[in-house]
Amino acid sequence: MTTRAEALALLEDRMKDCQKCPLAQTRTRVVPGEGPVDAELVFIGEAPGFNEDRQGRPFVGQAGQLLTELLQSIGLRRQDVYITNIVKCRPPNNRDPMPNEIEACRPWLESQLEVLAPLVICTLGRHSMGRYFKMSISRIHGQPAKFGDVWVMPFFHPAAALHNQALRPALFADFQKLPALLDQARAERRAKSTPVKEPPPEPKQLSLF
Ligand code: URA
């Protein structure tokens, strides 16, 4: 039987030869994602940039440094979470991913989420947020919603906060909400997997006469 770790490794490996969209022609390396298979938190960014495309790893540039800082601000390390993108290959000149590219890449992300089965999905920026929410990011950042049995928390993209320093305090404040959301999600998952016990039957009155 395949373990979850093997299933994830196999999936990441299969992605490396993907030819499903035109980004295959311009990328250097596919960037499947990285992190432990039992991560409770999955972060979904937009698309690999220059450094990610060279190294084959997500969020290794300046935006990645800010993501690491944000995680540290709530007592987490980068290696505690799974990090991936909505599109696994770098769009030329870091342009926005196009709808056909997002669509072509969707089955990869869906398979990853199926294997990872996280408690909370954190979207970074409007492209990954658009998978779940149809509202503007400035209205709903930091407001989680439940989809099936997984919570989704929309965040501004760290790169947006690097370009516009005014977004930084909101991004850090939104991250502060994650520990409580995780606690709630853990409790809900526990309650779901623990069958509610029937109360023991009332002791029968023994009738001696
Ligand atoms: N690096 C990534 O991997 N994804 C982004 O969205 C930005 C930087």
Side-chain angles (χ1 to χ4, degrees), residues 60-74:
V60 288
Q62 278 189 319
Q65 275 173 26
L66 180 52
L67 178 59
T68 302
E69 245 183 81
L70 286 157
L71 289 167
Q72 283 168 347
S73 75
I74 53 166

Side-chain angles (χ1 to χ4, degrees), residues 27-104:
R27 72 172 180 232
T28 312
R29 294 177 66 172
V30 177
V31 183
E34 67 183 20
V37 73
D38 56 356
E40 295 180 313
L41 289 173
V42 170
F43 285 81
I44 309 176
E46 184 177 313
F50 177 84
N51 294 300
E52 291 80 13
D53 177 67
R54 289 291 165 97
Q55 296 183 36
R57 297 180 55 213
F59 281 90
V60 288
Q62 278 189 319
Q65 275 173 26
L66 180 52
L67 178 59
T68 302
E69 245 183 81
L70 286 157
L71 289 167
Q72 283 168 347
S73 75
I74 53 166
L76 291 175
R77 300 162 310 165
R78 183 185 157 109
Q79 58 265 40
D80 296 327
V81 303
Y82 193 88
I83 305 173
T84 188
N85 285 300
I86 198 108
V87 160
K88 316 296 187 202
C89 297
R90 182 190 181 208
N93 304 315
N94 295 349
R95 65 155 168 75
D96 283 353
M98 308 235 252
N100 65 313
E101 294 157 357
I102 294 176
E103 192 51 32

Side-chain angles (χ1 to χ4, degrees), residues 9 27 32 34 36 39 50 57 95 99 108 117 140 145 151-152 161 165-166 170 172 184 197:
R27 72 172 180 232
E34 67 183 20
F50 177 84
R57 297 180 55 213
R95 65 155 168 75
W108 291 128
I140 59 151
W151 282 95
V152 180
Q165 290 286 322
F172 274 88
Q184 182 180 338
K197 282 210 185 112

Side-chain angles (χ1 to χ4, degrees), residues 113-148:
L113 293 174
E114 206 175 302
V115 176
L116 291 159
L119 291 176
V120 180
I121 293 172
C122 302
T123 61
L124 300 170
R126 62 195 168 89
H127 289 286
S128 60
M129 185 198 83
R131 207 182 126 80
Y132 301 96
F133 302 92
K134 295 295 161 236
M135 277 172 276
S136 102
I137 191 159
S138 47
R139 285 194 51 194
I140 59 151
H141 68 90
Q143 295 176 45
K146 206 165 184 193
F147 292 78

